[in-house]
Amino acid sequence: METNEEKRRIDEEAKISATFQEILDIYLASQHRRKVELITKAFNFARQAHKGVRRQSGEPYIMHPLAVARIVCAEIGLGSTSICAALLHDVVEDTDYTVEDIRNLFGEKIAQIVDGLTKISGGVFGTQASVQAETFKKLLLTMSEDIRVILIKIADRLHNMRTLSVMPVNKQYKIAGETLYIYAPIAYRLGLSRIKTELENLSFRYEHPEEYEKIQKKLAKTQIERDQLYNEFITPIRRELDKMGLTYRIKGRLKSPYSIWNKMQTKQVAFEDIYDILAVRIIFTPREGRNENNECFNVYIALTNLYNVHPDRLRDWVNKPRANGYRALHATFMSKHGEWIEVQIRSEQMDEIAEKGVAAHWKYKSRDNSNGKDELLDDWLHTIKEILDDPQPNALDFLDTIKLNLYATEIFVFTPKGDIITMPQNCTALDLAYSIHTFLGNHCIGAKVNHKLVPMNHVLQSGDQVEILTSNSQHVQASWLSFATTAKARAKIQAALRREQRKIQREGEEKLNAFLEKENLANFANNIEKIWVHHHLNDKEELLTAIGNGTITLGEEDKEALLGNNKRRFSFFFFNKEDKKEENKKENNITTFDAIDRKATLRLTDENLQKDFVIADCCHPIPGDDVLGYYDDEKHIIIHKRQCPVADRLKSSHGDRILSVVWDTHRAHQFVVPVNIQGIDKIGLINQITEIISQQMNVNIQKFEFENKNGVFDCNVWLNVRDVNDVKLLCDKLKGVENVKSVARID
């Protein structure tokens, strides 16, 4: 009689075999070359290599490579090389096998991809800034060498996100934050719209579970109403397309919970005020002998006979695709009930490229007897390589620079000769200068836009004709970083500034060495440290810069500091600095981070809130907000709202320092919260607002700002509240004031 253990083993083996067979069936149904033997060989090798190992969920480890291979095959549409690499992606990292073993058994290409995946294993980020930057550079380098590396890595991350529930909460925040910060934007940039949406939703679900559930329930509650609107809207469309003799399918596209929540946050509106939750997608097969681009416009014209079209919301991604290869015609129509509904018109080929991204794009390129290259993707990868040539020393700046170009919406501008250049939305004339050539950017003094002279910070609009103006006497300024928006421009500006700083520091070093030699003093590290401490600077680099640009002139005082004649003054400064730190800690009543269980959820109570934690100034979290903890270099635990941009960067860069925390307060403390009020001004309005806040709600006003422009007022008020319910009640009350049009908490 078989034991429970044997039964479990037999069931697991059957599940493993069935999952692998499913992958083979999907692969055989595709148009890829038949290499079943190679895939089977990779599966058997990986199965043996991971034998006896289990995931945190308790299932056999081989189920993870199988799941990644299935995503690679079914959801991205890659072939045998990628499927094999997905099956083998953890073998080198987790077992005694080497890349050389993979090369001998499976060939150079598969070994190269597995090697690339091994280099970027364990997530993009480590615990130290230098490790993070280096690991992320490896990811980008392997991406530019073989795009399949990052596609498999995205599949790996997607499966990890699908099984994230087994991880501790603080790890969930780290992985979800990293996913939202880097992986979702990269998936978008590579055209994997379905995977990008799922990564965003899963991150949202784990970071804000209550908000996620609320939106899901509201979507379910309004489902019947939406279905009725959808059916009424598409019925006449079907009749019109049938008359045209088109083969087509129509489906509704529901805005994702994350997109809804994100819009609620950025626009400060309620769920009920979001009007683009429903969109309609028309996917057709072009009629024989008809051009698919023209067919998109034929469908559009047919729809204009049925519904009024919004004049400002026509988006032609058919003739000028997005940088990720996406092609479709977007138009917004007014339904018979007065709702605006977006319609996305695309061919079957366009639809597959939209869902499967770069893999499908290359497939169709090769089918069309092209060279299989994607110029838009190649341009982007070339920009990445340029940035890697001279990366920022700060890991977070480096990540932000790369990320700038991941989610950018494109506009099209023209050169004086009529050539079209694709640029990110909200770019400036300076960004365009750098996109054309580094020399143009470094010496840019302005531009002519549509034959009118404009400054270099002028924001370009789609359709502008732009001529860049330069001068050899112009030099890069640090202030340019405040309006440069593209990754390439910012990277080139920072590189030029660093070159200039290195030049200044070299001059400073020469002056320092000359001073030490003149005074017969040794060029020891501790001597140089005494000088920068004497001048109240932070390090040697600051000292050399200050000497080089003439801010500091070395003289008798520096000599005395080195020889010890001014020892008392030096010691006083040094030790006083440390005493001040301790004094500040006592003053703020903050205890340093000690031995706590980082996997456990910390409770923010009325007792420990004042002495053990610091409330972040960047996002003003209060009881009721979804929050997390981050312990800094001085081991203080800082409390941030989970959607705070600063927290997003910390989750992505210092994930091992993220802690799970929950509120357990009982309205014993007050917290400062900024609220924005807007509307039409009238006499006595300020009095009405302050009366509601102070008299009716008994809330103390800490600060009040009011501005009137042409009869429209904008008011910011800082209030002392106890939790989010106080803020909600107050906002609801203020919304009831006549002429007040919007009230929202400022994040």
Side-chain angles (χ1 to χ4, degrees):
M1 184 178 175
E2 63 184 31
T3 63
N4 288 339
E5 185 62 34
E6 287 173 337
K7 186 176 185 304
R8 187 179 76 162
R9 184 181 57 77
I10 292 167
D11 289 345
E12 286 178 347
E13 291 295 323
K15 185 180 178 182
I16 291 167
S17 299
T19 304
F20 177 63
Q21 187 57 50
E22 185 187 1
I23 293 169
L24 283 184
D25 292 342
I26 295 167
Y27 169 69
L28 289 169
S30 71
Q31 296 176 354
H32 290 287
R33 287 176 295 171
R34 303 291 182 261
K35 292 190 177 180
V36 174
E37 283 184 20
L38 184 67
I39 295 171
T40 305
K41 181 180 174 183
F43 164 63
N44 289 330
F45 183 81
R47 189 180 198 176
Q48 185 60 38
H50 295 301
K51 191 173 182 180
V53 181
R54 294 187 176 275
R55 297 192 83 208
Q56 199 152 343
S57 61
E59 68 179 4
Y61 194 88
I62 188 62
M63 291 303 294
H64 170 62
L66 279 170
V68 176
R70 191 190 183 288
I71 293 168
V72 162
C73 178
E75 300 183 49
I76 302 179
L78 298 174
S80 58
T81 301
S82 301
I83 295 169
C84 290
L87 289 167
L88 300 166
H89 79 272
D90 278 336
V91 167
V92 173
E93 185 191 1
D94 295 343
T95 73
D96 293 332
Y97 290 104
T98 64
V99 174
E100 196 58 40
D101 295 327
I102 303 295
R103 186 176 288 108
N104 292 335
L105 287 165
F106 299 98
E108 179 60 39
K109 183 50 70 179
I110 291 173
Q112 185 182 335
I113 295 172
V114 171
D115 187 35
L117 288 161
T118 303
K119 285 175 181 173
I120 55 173
S121 63
V124 176
F125 309 98
T127 54
Q128 299 172 0
S130 59
V131 176
Q132 294 157 267
E134 286 305 315
T135 312
F136 189 47
K137 271 185 272 180
K138 285 176 187 172
L139 175 109
L140 295 168
L141 283 167
T142 52
M143 188 198 311
S144 56
E145 287 165 4
D146 192 325
I147 201 72
R148 287 174 293 192
V149 175
I150 190 60
L151 291 172
I152 297 167
K153 188 64 187 172
I154 288 170
D156 178 41
R157 176 50 59 110
L158 178 58
H159 183 246
N160 284 334
M161 287 300 296
R162 286 173 176 174
T163 56
L164 195 60
S165 59
V166 299
M167 301 293 285
V169 176
N170 64 318
K171 288 287 185 186
Q172 289 178 2
Y173 294 161
K174 172 193 181 297
I175 295 166
E178 184 180 277
T179 300
L180 204 54
Y181 195 78
I182 290 295
Y183 280 100
I186 289 179
Y188 172 81
R189 193 59 182 72
L190 297 177
L192 302 166
S193 71
R194 189 186 297 162
I195 288 176
K196 165 252 183 188
T197 300
E198 187 175 353
L199 288 173
E200 287 176 340
N201 280 336
L202 287 167
S203 297
F204 174 43
R205 178 182 169 188
Y206 284 105
E207 287 203 286
H208 304 280
E210 291 178 7
E211 295 297 320
Y212 178 83
E213 284 302 317
K214 278 183 194 172
I215 290 174
Q216 287 285 55
K217 284 176 182 174
K218 286 181 178 178
L219 285 172
K221 192 176 178 181
T222 54
Q223 181 69 48
I224 295 172
E225 188 182 319
R226 263 196 321 277
D227 287 347
Q228 187 179 345
L229 173 64
Y230 171 75
N231 289 327
E232 287 181 7
F233 184 74
I234 68 164
T235 299
I237 294 175
R238 286 190 183 280
R239 284 198 296 267
E240 200 69 24
L241 297 181
D242 288 340
K243 279 185 201 172
M244 292 172 64
L246 268 183
T247 302
Y248 66 90
R249 53 195 173 97
I250 301 179
K251 59 183 183 180
R253 188 231 63 182
L254 196 63
K255 201 174 188 71
S256 72
Y258 172 76
S259 295
I260 292 170
W261 177 80
N262 199 36
K263 194 164 190 177
M264 287 167 64
Q265 301 301 308
T266 53
K267 303 281 186 184
Q268 289 289 341
V269 295
F271 175 88
E272 291 71 24
D273 296 327
I274 295 182
Y275 298 110
D276 60 346
I277 288 175
L278 175 68
V280 171
R281 194 168 284 162
I282 300 172
I283 303 155
F284 65 88
T285 302
R287 289 170 288 187
E288 192 173 343
R290 303 286 183 99
N291 178 282
E292 65 175 5
N293 290 14
N294 294 340
E295 287 283 63
C296 285
F297 284 92
N298 290 334
V299 172
Y300 167 72
I301 291 165
L303 265 60
T304 59
N305 295 328
L306 300 171
Y307 299 108
N308 290 325
V309 64
H310 195 299
D312 298 325
R313 292 193 192 171
L314 180 66
R315 300 288 181 266
D316 179 10
W317 304 115
V318 171
N319 293 306
K320 197 66 183 172
R322 285 178 179 165
N324 60 10
Y326 177 85
R327 294 170 64 223
L329 184 63
H330 290 198
T332 302
F333 297 91
M334 176 70 78
S335 77
K336 302 299 182 187
H337 295 284
E339 297 97 341
W340 288 111
I341 297 177
E342 184 183 73
V343 179
Q344 301 170 359
I345 305 165
R346 54 172 84 153
S347 68
E348 290 286 355
Q349 177 174 315
M350 292 175 190
D351 186 62
E352 188 174 0
I353 290 169
E355 297 302 325
K356 293 185 176 177
V358 69
H361 199 50
W362 281 341
K363 182 178 84 177
Y364 285 109
K365 281 266 188 180
S366 58
R367 189 186 292 173
D368 295 339
N369 298 319
S370 181
N371 58 11
K373 290 275 185 183
D374 184 341
E375 290 176 13
L376 292 166
L377 183 67
D378 287 347
D379 288 346
W380 183 64
L381 292 176
H382 179 69
T383 299
I384 296 297
K385 284 179 179 175
E386 282 189 327
I387 294 168
L388 289 170
D389 287 341
D390 193 0
Q392 289 85 337
N394 181 289
L396 286 177
D397 289 345
F398 177 60
L399 294 173
D400 285 344
T401 300
I402 295 292
K403 194 169 181 284
L404 273 174
N405 278 18
L406 291 176
Y407 263 147
T409 301
E410 295 88 2
I411 63 167
F412 309 114
V413 296
F414 296 87
T415 67
K417 293 182 179 178
D419 296 328
I420 293 178
I421 299 176
T422 304
M423 292 294 292
Q425 197 172 40
N426 299 320
C427 70
T428 62
L430 181 65
D431 293 316
L432 178 63
Y434 274 109
S435 78
I436 298 169
H437 198 282
T438 303
F439 179 86
L440 279 183
N442 287 345
H443 297 281
C444 178
I445 56 171
K448 279 187 179 177
V449 175
N450 304 326
H451 309 292
K452 290 182 180 178
L453 195 64
V454 299
M456 66 178 82
N457 64 352
H458 177 81
V459 176
L460 302 178
Q461 304 296 322
S462 208
D464 282 346
Q465 188 173 40
V466 188
E467 179 186 353
I468 301 298
L469 305 176
T470 62
S471 167
N472 286 334
S473 62
Q474 177 69 292
H475 296 289
V476 176
Q477 308 292 321
S479 60
W480 292 5
L481 289 169
S482 64
F483 55 82
T485 66
T486 63
K488 183 173 182 178
R490 292 182 68 83
K492 293 299 181 185
I493 292 167
Q494 287 167 330
L497 292 173
R498 283 197 299 278
R499 282 197 299 273
E500 185 63 29
Q501 188 175 32
R502 284 195 291 269
K503 181 183 171 186
I504 291 169
Q505 286 179 349
R506 280 197 296 272
E507 291 173 7
E509 192 158 25
E510 287 172 10
K511 290 179 182 177
L512 175 63
N513 290 338
F515 168 75
L516 293 171
E517 192 175 330
K518 177 189 167 190
E519 300 296 342
N520 255 350
L521 295 166
N523 189 353
F524 292 146
N526 65 330
N527 276 344
I528 295 170
E529 184 179 352
K530 285 178 183 178
I531 297 175
W532 60 255
V533 169
H534 169 68
H535 286 284
H536 299 192
L537 300 174
N538 292 317
D539 53 34
K540 180 183 175 182
E541 281 68 33
E542 277 192 26
L543 174 67
L544 295 179
T545 303
I547 297 170
N549 62 26
T551 307
I552 289 175
T553 303
L554 298 172
E556 197 61 35
E557 279 194 9
D558 299 284
K559 181 181 174 183
E560 288 177 3
L562 287 170
L563 293 173
N565 296 343
N566 202 22
K567 189 175 179 184
R568 177 178 294 177
R569 177 182 170 187
F570 167 72
S571 300
F572 170 77
F573 168 72
F574 183 78
F575 290 112
N576 187 50
K577 190 177 174 185
E578 293 302 305
D579 292 343
K580 188 73 179 170
K581 277 187 185 178
E582 291 302 317
E583 188 179 310
N584 284 342
K585 284 180 192 174
K586 288 174 187 172
E587 224 175 88
N588 295 328
N589 203 21
I590 300 165
T591 61
T592 52
F593 178 87
D594 210 351
I596 64 164
D597 183 358
R598 297 181 198 177
K599 293 183 180 179
T601 297
L602 302 180
R603 307 195 82 76
L604 302 173
T605 66
D606 294 324
E607 291 73 31
N608 67 19
L609 192 58
Q610 295 295 304
K611 64 189 182 75
D612 292 337
F613 302 97
V614 182
I615 300 297
D617 290 330
C618 50
C619 54
H620 302 286
I622 62 175
D625 287 330
D626 289 338
V627 290
L628 53 77
Y630 166 77
Y631 62 93
D632 62 13
D633 290 336
E634 295 188 2
K635 305 296 175 70
H636 296 148
I637 301 174
I638 319 293
I639 305 302
H640 287 273
K641 289 171 73 173
R642 284 184 218 156
Q643 74 266 32
C644 167
V646 175
D648 282 341
R649 296 178 77 191
L650 294 172
K651 282 179 282 190
S652 307
S653 57
H654 297 289
D656 292 340
R657 296 187 179 193
I658 298 298
L659 304 168
S660 169
V661 295
V662 294
W663 298 101
D664 189 14
T665 54
H666 301 86
R667 297 176 58 82
H669 298 290
Q670 290 190 338
F671 302 83
V672 178
V673 167
V675 172
N676 175 260
I677 311 165
Q678 295 178 353
I680 311 301
D681 196 12
K682 65 172 185 176
I683 295 172
L685 186 69
I686 293 178
N687 186 48
Q688 276 183 278
I689 290 171
T690 54
E691 186 183 337
I692 288 173
I693 296 170
S694 302
Q695 302 299 321
Q696 295 184 31
M697 298 298 297
N698 197 29
V699 171
N700 188 44
I701 298 174
Q702 193 176 86
K703 185 179 174 184
F704 193 95
E705 293 177 349
F706 189 94
E707 185 179 18
N708 180 324
K709 281 187 179 177
N710 301 319
V712 176
F713 78 86
D714 192 316
C715 170
N716 290 328
V717 55
W718 283 258
L719 306 169
N720 287 338
V721 298
R722 299 186 189 278
D723 57 28
V724 291
N725 288 330
D726 282 359
V727 181
K728 187 177 184 307
L729 282 169
L730 190 61
C731 290
D732 289 344
K733 279 269 188 187
L734 291 170
K735 283 175 184 174
V737 176
E738 189 183 357
N739 284 16
V740 168
K741 301 302 179 187
S742 74
V743 184
R745 179 179 168 187
I746 302 171
D747 288 323

